[in-house]
Amino acid sequence: MQVGIIGINHFSSSLSQREKVAKVCRELFIAKQVSFPIQYVLLSTCNRTELYFSAPNLADAHSEILGLLREEIQDPFDQNLYSFFGSDCFLHLGRVISGMDSLIFGESDIQRQVKVSYESARIKRRLTPSLHYMFQKGLKIGKEIRTAVLPTQARLPATIYSLVDCLKIGKKKILFIGNSVINRGVMSYFLSKGCEDLTLCTRTDKTPFSSVKLEKWDVTKQWFKYDAVISGTYHGEYIIQGSSPKCEVALFDLGVPRNIDPTLAEHPQIRLYNIDDLGQMANQSKKTSEKEIQLCETMLEKIVHRQVDLFHRKQQSRWRYVSACEKLSILP
């Protein structure tokens, strides 16, 4: 398969390094829509930024992409990147979609994030058969593994809820910033726990839950009036910064690049948690056994190997058909 990937994630780099790469990749491959003969799908989440690409010569395409990134990122970053090609790229995507490569093993939000990234790329540009096949089959594989092996995961929302619950406040006012997949998951969990005073601040006029109040973006300037703020959106600058709250406030920054100025953690009335902090806490709450991990790995390898073999056989059949048609067309 003529597919490859260049990526960076929570295993290979720090949060600050991921922020830099995420900003540059979004600018190059989403905002500017760089023009070069490489088909690609950009996956950018709180834990990873990955560019899946397809080209006749994968080595040349890989070098060209690295060159573009080096022009924009001044700090050394090559040692934090990873690359895979062909079936190894497919296998990596399967691990990502199934949640096996996530900070919280088996988390389910990533499946929807991959689907949205693929659908967005498919609409904006033509993708090669290899990319279409890999993402379509990868989404099915991820769902299959999660259904067969992995339990339903709600460790991140549960971790955030438990931290908010530690605040000894009778009726907690909670502000969510951004109508993202990750925020919707946390909102849903909070609602299931009976939380009533939830407010969503978004740049659209839509709310996923009728019981969640909707506010305009300006409410972010009044963040210190809430007991907890959970921010998970994309923004070029810090959304929350400055100010001195009179009461204790818990801030949860789920964005990469970060949405909340990290220096706010120095304030005595503020508890600030970023996505890496929360992921580590969630993992400590429930350890995944080695047996579970190995079962998922074995199952994934077998399925991916079978799908890659099927792809090659389909391609060979197509080539034989085209070749036969060409021979018939030249007969007298």
Side-chain angles (χ1 to χ4, degrees), residues 48-300:
R48 70 186 64 252
T49 295
E50 297 179 335
L51 189 73
Y52 294 85
F53 61 93
S54 183
N57 189 312
L58 292 177
D60 288 348
H62 184 268
S63 297
E64 189 169 354
I65 293 169
L66 275 181
L68 286 170
L69 295 178
R70 289 183 183 124
E71 287 179 10
E72 300 294 330
I73 303 174
Q74 301 302 317
D75 297 337
F77 67 97
D78 286 28
Q79 69 274 15
N80 301 119
L81 299 178
Y82 48 83
S83 300
F84 299 103
F85 302 94
S87 58
D88 289 336
C89 177
F90 195 164
L91 184 62
H92 176 78
L93 179 62
R95 298 185 79 254
V96 169
I97 297 175
S98 63
M100 294 162 56
D101 196 58
S102 295
L103 182 59
I104 303 171
F105 189 85
E107 63 95 4
S108 57
D109 285 344
I110 187 64
Q111 174 126 2
R112 178 171 170 77
Q113 291 169 323
V114 171
K115 184 177 181 179
V116 169
S117 297
Y118 165 63
E119 291 295 337
S120 177
R122 184 180 64 82
I123 292 170
K124 291 178 181 177
R125 67 189 74 89
R126 291 186 62 184
L127 300 179
T128 63
S130 293
L131 283 174
H132 278 302
Y133 187 89
M134 183 174 71
F135 275 91
Q136 290 171 4
K137 296 299 182 182
L139 288 165
K140 291 181 179 180
I141 290 169
K143 184 177 181 180
E144 183 179 343
I145 290 177
R146 185 172 285 107
T147 301
V149 183
L150 298 172
T152 302
Q153 298 291 331
R155 277 189 267 169
L156 180 61
T159 299
I160 295 174
Y161 177 80
S162 65
L163 290 169
V164 171
D165 199 47
C166 288
L167 296 173
K168 303 303 180 182
I169 303 169
K171 187 177 181 181
K172 301 178 180 67
K173 291 176 59 179
I174 303 172
L175 174 65
F176 288 85
I177 301 176
N179 189 18
S180 59
V181 172
I182 193 169
N183 258 4
R184 289 197 293 272
V186 179
M187 274 186 276
S188 177
Y189 189 87
F190 272 58
L191 289 170
S192 72
K193 291 296 183 179
C195 297
E196 298 178 354
D197 198 352
L198 305 183
T199 299
L200 171 63
C201 164
T202 176
R203 284 166 284 192
T204 69
D205 57 354
K206 296 180 180 179
T207 174
F209 307 101
S210 58
S211 57
V212 176
K213 290 178 287 187
L214 193 63
E215 288 284 356
K216 295 183 179 179
W217 196 254
D218 287 346
V219 78
T220 56
K221 298 176 183 178
Q222 304 294 316
W223 62 267
F224 47 85
K225 294 184 177 180
Y226 291 83
D227 300 314
V229 179
I230 301 168
S231 186
T233 187
Y234 176 73
H235 201 275
E237 305 294 336
Y238 293 135
I239 299 170
I240 293 179
Q241 53 188 331
S243 193
S244 298
K246 296 179 181 179
C247 300
E248 190 173 22
V249 181
L251 303 179
F252 300 89
D253 193 346
L254 311 183
V256 176
R258 279 172 281 192
N259 301 157
I260 301 174
D261 184 352
T263 61
L264 286 176
E266 301 170 6
H267 195 286
Q269 293 289 87
I270 294 176
R271 298 183 186 180
L272 174 59
Y273 307 90
N274 62 43
I275 190 64
D276 284 6
D277 299 330
L278 295 167
Q280 290 169 7
M281 292 179 189
N283 279 333
Q284 290 171 0
S285 66
K286 182 183 182 301
K287 294 291 185 180
T288 305
S289 70
E290 290 296 326
K291 185 177 180 180
E292 287 178 298
I293 296 173
Q294 188 56 51
L295 179 61
C296 291
E297 293 283 1
T298 302
M299 183 177 178
L300 177 64

